[in-house]
Amino acid sequence: MKLKRTVIAIILSTSIAVSSVSATGYPVFDISGWLTAIDQLYQQYDMVMNTITQIENQYQQIQQAVERAKSIDWDNIRFDGDFDIRNDIKDANKRVNKLLNQTRQIKNTLTSSNIDCGNGRYSLADLCGMGSPDHNFFSACKDVEAYMTDSMKFSIDAIEGNLTEKQKMMIWRKYGISPKNYLFVQQSVAQVKTQASKLMAKATDEAVQLQREDRIAKTNAIIQAAYAQTDSDGNMTQGAANEANLYLSQQVVDGLMSLEEAIDQMASLSAARMINEENEKQAEADEMAAEQRKQEAFDNKVPDSFRK
């Protein structure tokens, strides 16, 4: 029963991007929308990574400022009361290292091959077209589809068996492909999208944590002094870059959210493209079958005397 509800939910919630309808009545794939979505996905990922690199460069500059402070011979300097700047320097060094590690962790989440596609592994960078040259969101879906075709046929058969005749007919009429092929497409795209969404959530949580740690770090006097001399590109300046860096870290959070939206759009378009390919295959198979029937009908009408 749960399996049946899941299948029905997939059918009813599927959003297929199309631009028009062909003469056969089936959806025509939106090539223009596909190219635009690829470009948006690429640009959004690039913007996020560039912003993370800017933040990383700034933290490295601040780390250098802290290292310079460490090199001073503080042992010959007397401090009033309980205050000892050496404690602030130790704290600053620890906090900046933590910020750098957090920044690199976000990068690692985006670039590590953590998405299992059955016959290969992908990173979020791959899905966005910024990783391996032969890897992208569409190829990930096709890899999952190929894997499922080889190893999960019985599972798909079971899901198909829970569809009503009305649901099966709806798929045939709307897409021009068999319910089984439709399910392979939807399940393949859903698996890639689900794994990507989990990683995006992880990266966003890490970016929010980076913001939080950045605010805490700025309570340190040494770090405050370094920020006052560092701009958003990591260059020393007389201007205060405290707010600029907070803006950059907020950009990472916002950028990751926009990136997830772009990934969702690519998932919808990838499903549409895969269904379009299946529709073309089905149309070719139907045409060949029709030609074969014509030939068989013709052969049956030809007298046996002409066959010799």
Side-chain angles (χ1 to χ4, degrees):
M1 191 65 177
K2 183 179 179 182
L3 185 62
K4 185 175 181 179
R5 287 199 302 270
T6 301
V7 173
I8 294 173
I10 290 172
I11 293 172
L12 296 179
S13 65
T14 299
S15 174
I16 302 299
V18 295
S19 60
S20 60
V21 177
S22 69
T24 61
Y26 302 128
V28 174
F29 182 62
D30 183 3
I31 295 294
S32 176
W34 171 257
L35 295 176
T36 299
I38 289 175
D39 187 55
Q40 288 177 344
L41 188 60
Y42 183 96
Q43 289 187 19
Q44 195 63 47
Y45 179 88
D46 192 43
M47 187 197 76
V48 169
M49 289 300 286
N50 284 339
T51 306
I52 293 173
T53 299
Q54 281 183 286
I55 294 174
E56 186 177 22
N57 289 340
Q58 181 159 314
Y59 289 153
Q60 287 172 341
Q61 290 287 325
I62 294 169
Q63 188 179 52
Q64 291 172 14
V66 173
E67 290 299 321
R68 285 194 293 271
K70 285 170 61 178
S71 66
I72 297 174
D73 185 7
W74 297 104
D75 291 332
N76 295 322
I77 298 176
R78 180 170 296 177
F79 300 96
D80 293 330
D82 295 329
F83 175 75
D84 190 334
I85 198 170
R86 288 172 295 191
N87 294 330
D88 255 10
I89 292 172
K90 289 178 182 178
D91 180 67
N93 191 57
K94 179 181 71 175
R95 293 192 183 281
V96 173
N97 283 335
K98 190 173 183 179
L99 287 166
L100 277 169
N101 288 335
Q102 188 69 27
T103 305
R104 289 161 183 163
Q105 182 59 45
I106 299 172
K107 276 189 172 181
N108 185 61
T109 299
L110 295 173
T111 57
S112 295
S113 300
N114 293 323
I115 299 173
D116 185 2
C117 293
N119 296 322
R121 300 188 71 83
Y122 285 68
S123 65
L124 284 168
D126 289 330
L127 299 187
C128 297
M130 295 284 279
S132 301
D134 58 340
H135 281 190
N136 52 55
F137 197 100
F138 185 69
S139 68
C141 294
K142 295 294 286 184
D143 278 354
V144 173
E145 183 186 39
Y147 174 76
M148 291 178 68
T149 302
D150 292 339
S151 61
M152 298 179 65
K153 182 179 179 298
F154 293 113
S155 297
I156 295 296
D157 286 343
I159 296 174
E160 184 187 16
N162 280 278
L163 294 176
T164 65
E165 289 304 314
K166 184 177 179 180
Q167 290 166 347
K168 292 177 183 178
M169 186 59 65
M170 182 184 74
I171 293 172
W172 272 113
R173 287 176 176 173
K174 186 171 183 179
Y175 302 112
I177 63 176
S178 70
K180 181 179 294 185
N181 287 341
Y182 174 82
L183 289 170
F184 269 123
V185 168
Q186 295 303 326
Q187 291 288 320
S188 301
V189 174
Q191 284 200 30
V192 176
K193 182 180 174 181
T194 298
Q195 292 184 75
S197 294
K198 288 179 180 178
L199 286 175
M200 287 302 304
K202 182 174 184 288
T204 302
D205 287 344
E206 290 166 349
V208 170
Q209 182 63 27
L210 177 67
Q211 272 189 314
R212 188 178 298 116
E213 290 172 357
D214 187 66
R215 290 192 180 96
I216 295 172
K218 286 169 187 170
T219 62
N220 181 285
I222 298 295
I223 293 177
Q224 278 187 335
Y227 265 115
Q229 302 175 66
T230 310
D231 67 15
S232 59
D233 293 321
N235 301 313
M236 291 303 176
T237 178
Q238 295 302 313
N242 207 332
E243 293 182 5
N245 200 59
L246 276 175
Y247 170 72
L248 283 175
S249 58
Q250 182 60 50
Q251 268 195 320
V252 174
V253 176
D254 294 343
L256 287 169
M257 291 179 178
S258 296
L259 181 59
E260 184 162 15
E261 291 176 4
I263 287 175
D264 287 347
Q265 174 68 3
M266 182 55 64
S268 175
L269 285 164
S270 292
R273 182 178 170 185
M274 292 170 74
I275 286 174
N276 185 72
E277 288 183 354
E278 291 295 336
N279 179 259
E280 290 176 350
K281 290 178 187 176
Q282 186 66 53
E284 290 176 4
D286 291 345
E287 186 177 351
M288 289 180 63
E291 288 297 324
Q292 185 175 356
R293 286 195 297 270
K294 286 181 182 179
Q295 186 62 48
E296 289 173 352
F298 176 79
D299 290 343
N300 289 335
K301 291 180 180 179
V302 176
D304 290 340
S305 58
F306 285 94
R307 298 176 187 273
K308 297 179 181 179

